[in-house]
Amino acid sequence: RNMEAFISLVSKGLVNLKPLITHIFEIDEAEKAYNIVLGKKKERFIGILIEHYDGKLPLWLSPVQAVILPISQDFNDYAKKVFEQFIKAGINCEVDLKNQKINYKIREHSLSKIPLLLICGKKEVDSNTITIRRLDSNKQENMELKTFLKKFAALNKAPLN
């Protein structure tokens, strides 16, 4: 009796039926199915994020958060020392040790939309500081290395709202 009532509702279009697939996957097949379904959703989500931020992801979300740029090869050792401290602080960064002019390096990494460019030169080595250039800003600020690490390690966390 209940089945007849149910069939009547379906035939009138009052009940929407979704197909139910009953198949037991092996572990490998289940993982593949999971990755196919969720992989596309992840790709869409990342695409939406990139479009929303116009490619300029916030510091906490950016895969490469900072690039350390020595002005010349004389300052490569200091740049490597700074890099090690950043990695210990949990900041994802890279060091650009290419033998190029500093303006070329700044332009290259600005076009890559890296949030922070950290410049090392004689002044920075002597005072144990770093010059910071933020994405979309021509202003540069000089900050002591320990202060910078404390400040930006705190900014490196996702907002909780």
Side-chain angles (χ1 to χ4, degrees), residues 123-134:
K123 180 177 72 173
E124 289 81 12
V125 171
D126 293 342
S127 59
N128 198 31
T129 59
I130 198 87
T131 298
I132 306 148
R133 183 180 179 131
R134 296 174 191 254

Side-chain angles (χ1 to χ4, degrees), residues 104-116:
Y104 175 83
K105 291 180 183 182
I106 289 171
R107 177 169 165 68
E108 177 185 12
H109 295 295
S110 293
L111 291 174
S112 298
K113 300 186 180 183
I114 306 295
L116 297 172

Side-chain angles (χ1 to χ4, degrees), residues 5-17:
F6 180 72
I7 292 172
S8 167
L9 290 173
V10 170
S11 65
K12 293 177 183 174
L14 299 173
V15 174
N16 209 0
L17 290 179

Side-chain angles (χ1 to χ4, degrees), residues 66-71 75-97 116-132 142-150 152:
V67 176
I68 303 165
L69 307 170
I71 289 178
F75 309 108
N76 284 355
D77 292 336
Y78 183 72
K80 290 175 187 176
K81 180 182 125 186
V82 170
F83 172 75
E84 290 171 4
Q85 291 181 9
F86 277 50
I87 295 299
K88 286 179 186 173
I91 298 172
N92 295 328
C93 64
E94 295 176 353
V95 183
D96 188 345
L97 300 176
L116 297 172
L117 300 179
L118 309 169
I119 301 163
C120 305
K122 181 164 178 39
K123 180 177 72 173
E124 289 81 12
V125 171
D126 293 342
S127 59
N128 198 31
T129 59
I130 198 87
T131 298
I132 306 148
N142 201 310
M143 193 179 291
E144 188 179 318
L145 200 53
K146 288 181 182 179
T147 307
F148 176 85
L149 288 170
K150 285 179 188 175
F152 284 92

Side-chain angles (χ1 to χ4, degrees), residues 42-89:
K42 288 178 188 174
E43 288 171 5
R44 281 192 202 126
F45 178 71
I46 290 170
I48 290 168
L49 273 177
I50 291 170
E51 186 176 335
H52 174 73
Y53 286 111
D54 196 26
K56 301 168 191 163
L57 298 173
L59 181 71
W60 62 271
L61 187 57
S62 183
V64 177
Q65 298 167 322
V67 176
I68 303 165
L69 307 170
I71 289 178
S72 72
Q73 291 185 333
D74 299 336
F75 309 108
N76 284 355
D77 292 336
Y78 183 72
K80 290 175 187 176
K81 180 182 125 186
V82 170
F83 172 75
E84 290 171 4
Q85 291 181 9
F86 277 50
I87 295 299
K88 286 179 186 173

